[in-house]
Amino acid sequence: MNPFIVIGRITKPHGIRGEVCVDFYADSPSILEDAVWLELPPAQPKPYGVIYARHHHNRLLLTLESVPDRNAAELLRNATVLVPRERLPALEPGEVYLADLPGFTVVLQETGETIGRISSIDTASGQEIWQITTPEGKNILFPAVPEFVAELDVDAKVARVTPPPGLLEIYL
């Protein structure tokens, strides 16, 4: 299990004093209390102390240690923002973090037929999209909205879905 959880992505610098704009995926900014880790492939995640976090026009702005100006902030564009898993709040029974969904088996609610396995999750569009890989190796992009996800069995690692008419036929 990955020791880090993705909580956002730096989109761009903000101003001239080193602030960065973050697309923030978590519910609570309280997990940003001390530090975050930033990952810019191919480098390993690197810790940055959080000096200040504030909301501005539906985005989170961060002021980080070792990022004194816009030039330094520009180098962090598109960095993935991570926090250690142990810093996150405990989950309620039946809940799961998005980072733990890859590997879940996806089955049709009505028939129990296996569609495939979740291979990745994308939230860049503002909507949760599962990439499901079929046993034949085909990829399905599935909008994971409440209308289409009937049940998540966290213990069995199974997602039961009710896709809209025609969605699976597009891919299969």
Side-chain angles (χ1 to χ4, degrees), residues 75-144:
L75 296 174
L76 300 177
R77 186 184 289 263
N78 295 317
T80 302
V81 181
L82 311 158
V83 294
R85 184 179 284 273
E86 67 266 7
R87 191 182 300 170
L88 298 175
L91 293 170
E92 296 292 324
E95 290 185 330
V96 64
Y97 288 115
L98 289 180
D100 297 330
L101 282 175
F104 271 55
T105 300
V106 180
V107 300
L108 293 174
Q109 173 73 4
E110 289 182 11
T111 65
E113 177 187 350
T114 297
I115 299 171
R117 291 195 182 274
I118 299 173
S119 52
S120 67
I121 308 291
D122 183 12
T123 57
S125 67
Q127 180 179 343
E128 184 180 326
I129 304 290
W130 295 349
Q131 181 173 315
I132 301 169
T133 303
T134 68
E136 297 79 28
K138 294 181 180 180
N139 290 317
I140 299 168
L141 298 179
F142 187 84

